[in-house]
Amino acid sequence: MSSSNYYDVTTWPTGDPSEDVGEVINSIIADIKERQNASDVNDGGKPGAVIYLPPGDYRLRTQVLIDISFLRIQGSGHGFTSSSIRFNVPEDEWPDLHELWPGGSRVLVDLPELPGNGADPAKGAAFLVERTGSPRISSVEFANFCIDGLHFAPDGSELPAENTYVNGKTGIHVSSANDSFRVNEMGFIYLEHALTIHNADALSIHNNFIAECGSCIELRGWGQASKITDNLIGAGFKGHSIYAENHGGLLVTANNVFPRGASSVFFSGVTRSSITNNRLHSFYPGMVVLERNSSENLVATNHFLRDHEPWTPFLGIDNGLDDLHGVLSVSGSNNSVIGNHFSQIIDSEHIRPEGATPVTIRLREGAGNFVSNNHVVARNVHATSSDDCFEGQVDALLATDAAEALAVTAVLVDPESTRNTILDSGSEAQVLADRAANAIRATPTTHGEA
Amino acid sequence: MSSSNYYDVTTWPTGDPSEDVGEVINSIIADIKERQNASDVNDGGKPGAVIYLPPGDYRLRTQVLIDISFLRIQGSGHGFTSSSIRFNVPEDEWPDLHELWPGGSRVLVDLPELPGNGADPAKGAAFLVERTGSPRISSVEFANFCIDGLHFAPDGSELPAENTYVNGKTGIHVSSANDSFRVNEMGFIYLEHALTIHNADALSIHNNFIAECGSCIELRGWGQASKITDNLIGAGFKGHSIYAENHGGLLVTANNVFPRGASSVFFSGVTRSSITNNRLHSFYPGMVVLERNSSENLVATNHFLRDHEPWTPFLGIDNGLDDLHGVLSVSGSNNSVIGNHFSQIIDSEHIRPEGATPVTIRLREGAGNFVSNNHVVARNVHATSSDDCFEGQVDALLATDAAEALAVTAVLVDPESTRNTILDSGSEAQVLADRAANAIRATPTTHGEA
Amino acid sequence: MSSSNYYDVTTWPTGDPSEDVGEVINSIIADIKERQNASDVNDGGKPGAVIYLPPGDYRLRTQVLIDISFLRIQGSGHGFTSSSIRFNVPEDEWPDLHELWPGGSRVLVDLPELPGNGADPAKGAAFLVERTGSPRISSVEFANFCIDGLHFAPDGSELPAENTYVNGKTGIHVSSANDSFRVNEMGFIYLEHALTIHNADALSIHNNFIAECGSCIELRGWGQASKITDNLIGAGFKGHSIYAENHGGLLVTANNVFPRGASSVFFSGVTRSSITNNRLHSFYPGMVVLERNSSENLVATNHFLRDHEPWTPFLGIDNGLDDLHGVLSVSGSNNSVIGNHFSQIIDSEHIRPEGATPVTIRLREGAGNFVSNNHVVARNVHATSSDDCFEGQVDALLATDAAEALAVTAVLVDPESTRNTILDSGSEAQVLADRAANAIRATPTTHGEA
């Protein structure tokens, strides 16, 4: 036996990895399948392989198709640098920049045909995982390399092309039911969809850097018992940082989700799952949305910060939701919302509808939700912006002094949501709910406060 | 100096790794010890080594004995696939399966002699870590390979052999006091004991896949300051997913623990430790047990789901506990149980003792526990099962609608447990406790509710 | 294209890695810069590189200067063993020890000139990251090797030199603004400063072992959107385990922070950040400090244990704070302190000022903090010590029985802190605060208790 299940794209005889690493990897996969062609030899026979991408620029012109279990694709560097900042620097300054492009073990997604609006996004994927039959494809691992979509494309708006977050490209698309997959230490950038996984079981998405993508993590179809943990994530204004549908037992924890996703976490028909212990930051309402009867979930000890876009190139952009939508919006039953901190730092002149009282937690439909021990801090700021992305954000983040108190509705319960329990999550005046239909204990206040 | 502290089992001259990787690794360890034979040469001398297992099938017929610090054993793939599903597929369908066995960098545990009932489980370990003297053995690391026990064995019951979760095999057994060990990104499957570690200090068990094993993680003897974080774990019905005894300062967090362990987390004489922010799912009562005076622990913001086995091969199996045992059972003092969500989804026809009111949190012995802000959701379902493991589980998980409310005792305090504080964790009727011996504030309800 | 962006320090032609790995790595970096000299070639050009250190002892006599993005420095072993225990073993027993020094892929910091008191600590760094101009240096990664400072130095006190935690040495010092850095699976030991990073954006410090250093993690200057997660950390008595200043959106979670740092977590001017779900253990008051108007932070579901030094060599050492300081001390506004467990296990004879009632949570300055659902357990023990570090600590940790109740002030609100809300965090007698200036709901008690 030799170490022949270890492959290096730079030493493989077929194809040129700098010109088309997709061709190289497909050729390697074909070799693995040819060599590992019997499913039961000495209690084994198909152990899979590892494909290594040393640091380097690898253009991908051919989609990689993965249809074998136990394949690990691995690099030595997640390679993120901000393309968004770079493309918003005047072009005549580019020669002075140390580097223009992301790096590490970097795959440049350059497929000849990309899906347009409404087309199957799988066609635009650098890595497509698809296999029919039984068992479900298992234990595919992606680790520590970079997938870069290179450019965004015009979207018909007045936005510069590089700011649209659309280009038809996907980093990894899994279309078949799968088990025990891992995505660890990866970098994703400038993709319309970073990571889309259908029908996942016991999936782990851990310690990745997924930013400046249209949408970052999308768990589609249905699935169970998965985790999205300890990632740095920030989607574009049209997409979601974390999206899941029809999942049960999903654990979303220890993520630092920064702007500017339309939502930080969006659950549709998700049950018995957890959003706990994350740091969430957004420039719009609808930061966390539980919709389509998402029930029996736990939303606990998260830090929510909703403030304003401070970076000039994206001023005026939003996700279309007004301030009555709720920073956290719940359509579903028997959820628990416990021990969260909300900072709602808004320029009162920008509130929509004009003159409205912004809503922090909104229960829209369902019954039996338990909302307890949430702390809502609301401040009125005069929003400012800066041409410098990093300094603008840090300045805004650190400015807690200048602001004055802002009146908010801490909890709004719509008539379609009943029999909820709301404890210590807002003063008597801050909780708008039918007291006959819901059990409410207002947060105590000192004399003279509401 | 050459890179001679890097070893690859497939290129080592002694032994055949496909026939007996244990012999190969022991020979490598002997080489390390021969070369690194002085403890103080130029302020160093015993840096240890890394042993690499490329993806492949490696039978292990000889137990590996690790008695040197700073040894890292590393593969390129955790290699899990469900053997439980495979062995419950009719054998005539096996030829149609894509693969039959786990993969990745896979160690097939095939020791000639295995301990029977009551024998020392260390004898059945693929990897035994043992060293006397000082200092404690330190910084042994296991990373990203698969340990597969291949088959389970008949246990005298009517269960098919492959469903018994017993075979006398252990993945890694550490019998000596140890410091700063790491187990990361491993896969364990079809072992009676996946990982048993005695007398651990500053141990990290992180981001592993440990499933379809009798017991998964067992911290035995005593220990301190360790962490079990971000793992996917699911034991068999006779064992524990996470077990610890006589540990202090243990952090169990961000784990997704799926069925069917007899318990998800079992603490015996554990103090000043945390079970926080996990997603826990079980088919039986006794999901989390604190026993033998486990005290001053924090159990917070976990999601507990207790429902029924939906997969036909294991119907009728349980852990022997009835529904009065408590989903969470506490024998000990001064623990904190804060902000947890409990979903108790039970077929009322299956409640034992028949007609009983199931208990969610039970305080058995001790004093001074603080139980606050827990949300108990209880639903009566008509349990169904399916021959398809994955679909059966997902369907059951996502079904939140059909159920009706089920009466439960949210908190039951036995007379042997006193001076507890129970706040906002159940309505007046749902908290059964001596009001003179315990301080209780019931969760407010709307009119007409109990 | 060859795999020429992969470097191994043991095969590089310039320098001798065992005598000066700094010279070797600097030579490699020069080679990378020479080869990757254009910033825009085929949409790439500067992908960076990986530098590998196999397990071994590598003395570092020349500081490494990193001024390129996308550089990953990687080993195969974090290599921690307790130098503190070793140096406190009588020297005549050293020949009997299995090993004397840390190991793994180990860098021995042995710079010829070290900064003295008040000098720039960057001069004492093994790895200095510094680059001016734009963009900020990005995606530098440090993974799975050991940085060992070898010895501590006399500090003018009566302490043995090896117990002072000072030597002028730093492991990694980042002095320039940076983006998307990663420090993963590293080991740091016997350094005055393990890891000092200025002006970080989207930094990840994950799954490291940082112990027996003067200070462990220091985030200086300012920064945002970073995470310190899942580490094992323990600083010396003069320094901090985790320190951050002027950061926003920092997530500190899932860490196990053991003694004996002057503080476990120290925030200075930090806003909108989270300290959640950590296990924290200290021998002194001031375990977690929010100072200089640290505001809108979330401190939730942490386990705090404050008890006494049990190891003879450090008896009598402390951080200079008395028991009125607070285990958690808050100067700032609108913070949330929710669902924490505090165990305060003190020998009443050692309380300072003598006869005082120790304070658990202290609100010093600011307004609008929300302190809810915290459980304070206070016990009076007769502190004992042991010559054996590990056994002494474990014995102390596990001893919950012998103790008797100790009167404490669970929450003390200074007059300079107003309009706070304090709920269910102490009995009426345990909360000392101006009831007109703060809203208070005491934890209910049974009859006859205070």
Side-chain angles (χ1 to χ4, degrees), chain C residues 339-350:
Chain C
N340 299 286
H341 176 101
F342 293 86
S343 280
Q344 219 165 342
I345 312 300
I346 307 184
D347 186 332
S348 60
E349 295 184 9
H350 293 177

PDB file of all heavy atoms in Angstrom, chain C residues 339-350:
ATOM      1  N   GLY C 339     -28.282  35.462  34.018  1.00  0.00           N
ATOM      2  CA  GLY C 339     -28.204  34.008  34.054  1.00  0.00           C
ATOM      3  C   GLY C 339     -26.843  33.438  34.375  1.00  0.00           C
ATOM      4  O   GLY C 339     -26.527  32.325  33.962  1.00  0.00           O
ATOM      5  N   ASN C 340     -26.030  34.173  35.116  1.00  0.00           N
ATOM      6  CA  ASN C 340     -24.719  33.656  35.503  1.00  0.00           C
ATOM      7  C   ASN C 340     -24.803  32.905  36.832  1.00  0.00           C
ATOM      8  O   ASN C 340     -25.609  33.231  37.701  1.00  0.00           O
ATOM      9  CB  ASN C 340     -23.722  34.822  35.649  1.00  0.00           C
ATOM     10  CG  ASN C 340     -23.543  35.576  34.353  1.00  0.00           C
ATOM     11  OD1 ASN C 340     -22.900  35.087  33.438  1.00  0.00           O
ATOM     12  ND2 ASN C 340     -24.140  36.768  34.255  1.00  0.00           N
ATOM     13  N   HIS C 341     -23.921  31.949  36.977  1.00  0.00           N
ATOM     14  CA  HIS C 341     -23.722  31.277  38.261  1.00  0.00           C
ATOM     15  C   HIS C 341     -22.422  31.786  38.882  1.00  0.00           C
ATOM     16  O   HIS C 341     -21.385  31.812  38.210  1.00  0.00           O
ATOM     17  CB  HIS C 341     -23.646  29.757  38.059  1.00  0.00           C
ATOM     18  CG  HIS C 341     -23.347  29.008  39.320  1.00  0.00           C
ATOM     19  ND1 HIS C 341     -24.306  28.352  40.049  1.00  0.00           N
ATOM     20  CD2 HIS C 341     -22.187  28.837  40.001  1.00  0.00           C
ATOM     21  CE1 HIS C 341     -23.742  27.808  41.120  1.00  0.00           C
ATOM     22  NE2 HIS C 341     -22.463  28.090  41.114  1.00  0.00           N
ATOM     23  N   PHE C 342     -22.506  32.156  40.153  1.00  0.00           N
ATOM     24  CA  PHE C 342     -21.306  32.564  40.894  1.00  0.00           C
ATOM     25  C   PHE C 342     -21.115  31.636  42.081  1.00  0.00           C
ATOM     26  O   PHE C 342     -22.030  31.491  42.902  1.00  0.00           O
ATOM     27  CB  PHE C 342     -21.474  33.988  41.438  1.00  0.00           C
ATOM     28  CG  PHE C 342     -21.540  35.069  40.391  1.00  0.00           C
ATOM     29  CD1 PHE C 342     -22.744  35.405  39.793  1.00  0.00           C
ATOM     30  CD2 PHE C 342     -20.393  35.747  40.010  1.00  0.00           C
ATOM     31  CE1 PHE C 342     -22.808  36.415  38.824  1.00  0.00           C
ATOM     32  CE2 PHE C 342     -20.449  36.760  39.056  1.00  0.00           C
ATOM     33  CZ  PHE C 342     -21.668  37.097  38.457  1.00  0.00           C
ATOM     34  N   SER C 343     -19.942  31.038  42.172  1.00  0.00           N
ATOM     35  CA  SER C 343     -19.549  30.324  43.390  1.00  0.00           C
ATOM     36  C   SER C 343     -18.408  31.095  44.026  1.00  0.00           C
ATOM     37  O   SER C 343     -17.334  31.239  43.431  1.00  0.00           O
ATOM     38  CB  SER C 343     -19.095  28.896  43.074  1.00  0.00           C
ATOM     39  OG  SER C 343     -20.183  28.031  42.893  1.00  0.00           O
ATOM     40  N   GLN C 344     -18.673  31.580  45.222  1.00  0.00           N
ATOM     41  CA  GLN C 344     -17.680  32.369  45.939  1.00  0.00           C
ATOM     42  C   GLN C 344     -17.300  31.562  47.171  1.00  0.00           C
ATOM     43  O   GLN C 344     -18.056  31.492  48.138  1.00  0.00           O
ATOM     44  CB  GLN C 344     -18.329  33.709  46.327  1.00  0.00           C
ATOM     45  CG  GLN C 344     -17.427  34.890  46.209  1.00  0.00           C
ATOM     46  CD  GLN C 344     -18.219  36.185  46.239  1.00  0.00           C
ATOM     47  OE1 GLN C 344     -19.436  36.185  46.015  1.00  0.00           O
ATOM     48  NE2 GLN C 344     -17.552  37.296  46.484  1.00  0.00           N
ATOM     49  N   ILE C 345     -16.142  30.937  47.102  1.00  0.00           N
ATOM     50  CA  ILE C 345     -15.757  29.947  48.113  1.00  0.00           C
ATOM     51  C   ILE C 345     -14.543  30.503  48.841  1.00  0.00           C
ATOM     52  O   ILE C 345     -13.407  30.409  48.366  1.00  0.00           O
ATOM     53  CB  ILE C 345     -15.432  28.596  47.439  1.00  0.00           C
ATOM     54  CG1 ILE C 345     -16.534  28.203  46.446  1.00  0.00           C
ATOM     55  CG2 ILE C 345     -15.201  27.532  48.494  1.00  0.00           C
ATOM     56  CD1 ILE C 345     -17.915  28.045  47.034  1.00  0.00           C
ATOM     57  N   ILE C 346     -14.789  31.116  49.969  1.00  0.00           N
ATOM     58  CA  ILE C 346     -13.775  31.935  50.616  1.00  0.00           C
ATOM     59  C   ILE C 346     -13.549  31.468  52.044  1.00  0.00           C
ATOM     60  O   ILE C 346     -14.482  31.069  52.733  1.00  0.00           O
ATOM     61  CB  ILE C 346     -14.236  33.417  50.629  1.00  0.00           C
ATOM     62  CG1 ILE C 346     -14.606  33.859  49.214  1.00  0.00           C
ATOM     63  CG2 ILE C 346     -13.156  34.314  51.200  1.00  0.00           C
ATOM     64  CD1 ILE C 346     -14.962  35.319  49.122  1.00  0.00           C
ATOM     65  N   ASP C 347     -12.318  31.542  52.453  1.00  0.00           N
ATOM     66  CA  ASP C 347     -11.988  31.350  53.851  1.00  0.00           C
ATOM     67  C   ASP C 347     -12.254  32.681  54.558  1.00  0.00           C
ATOM     68  O   ASP C 347     -11.584  33.678  54.284  1.00  0.00           O
ATOM     69  CB  ASP C 347     -10.509  30.953  53.973  1.00  0.00           C
ATOM     70  CG  ASP C 347     -10.129  30.585  55.404  1.00  0.00           C
ATOM     71  OD1 ASP C 347     -10.773  31.104  56.340  1.00  0.00           O
ATOM     72  OD2 ASP C 347      -9.182  29.807  55.563  1.00  0.00           O
ATOM     73  N   SER C 348     -13.225  32.699  55.448  1.00  0.00           N
ATOM     74  CA  SER C 348     -13.637  33.984  56.030  1.00  0.00           C
ATOM     75  C   SER C 348     -12.479  34.646  56.779  1.00  0.00           C
ATOM     76  O   SER C 348     -12.466  35.861  56.947  1.00  0.00           O
ATOM     77  CB  SER C 348     -14.840  33.794  56.950  1.00  0.00           C
ATOM     78  OG  SER C 348     -14.517  32.911  57.995  1.00  0.00           O
ATOM     79  N   GLU C 349     -11.490  33.867  57.175  1.00  0.00           N
ATOM     80  CA  GLU C 349     -10.338  34.472  57.861  1.00  0.00           C
ATOM     81  C   GLU C 349      -9.448  35.262  56.903  1.00  0.00           C
ATOM     82  O   GLU C 349      -8.617  36.054  57.331  1.00  0.00           O
ATOM     83  CB  GLU C 349      -9.510  33.385  58.545  1.00  0.00           C
ATOM     84  CG  GLU C 349     -10.287  32.696  59.655  1.00  0.00           C
ATOM     85  CD  GLU C 349      -9.433  31.675  60.399  1.00  0.00           C
ATOM     86  OE1 GLU C 349      -8.211  31.648  60.161  1.00  0.00           O
ATOM     87  OE2 GLU C 349      -9.996  30.922  61.204  1.00  0.00           O
ATOM     88  N   HIS C 350      -9.621  35.019  55.611  1.00  0.00           N
ATOM     89  CA  HIS C 350      -8.790  35.714  54.621  1.00  0.00           C
ATOM     90  C   HIS C 350      -9.506  36.888  53.975  1.00  0.00           C
ATOM     91  O   HIS C 350      -8.970  37.513  53.062  1.00  0.00           O
ATOM     92  CB  HIS C 350      -8.342  34.725  53.522  1.00  0.00           C
ATOM     93  CG  HIS C 350      -7.409  33.668  54.006  1.00  0.00           C
ATOM     94  ND1 HIS C 350      -6.946  32.661  53.199  1.00  0.00           N
ATOM     95  CD2 HIS C 350      -6.838  33.463  55.215  1.00  0.00           C
ATOM     96  CE1 HIS C 350      -6.142  31.865  53.892  1.00  0.00           C
ATOM     97  NE2 HIS C 350      -6.058  32.334  55.112  1.00  0.00           N
TER      98      HIS C 350
END
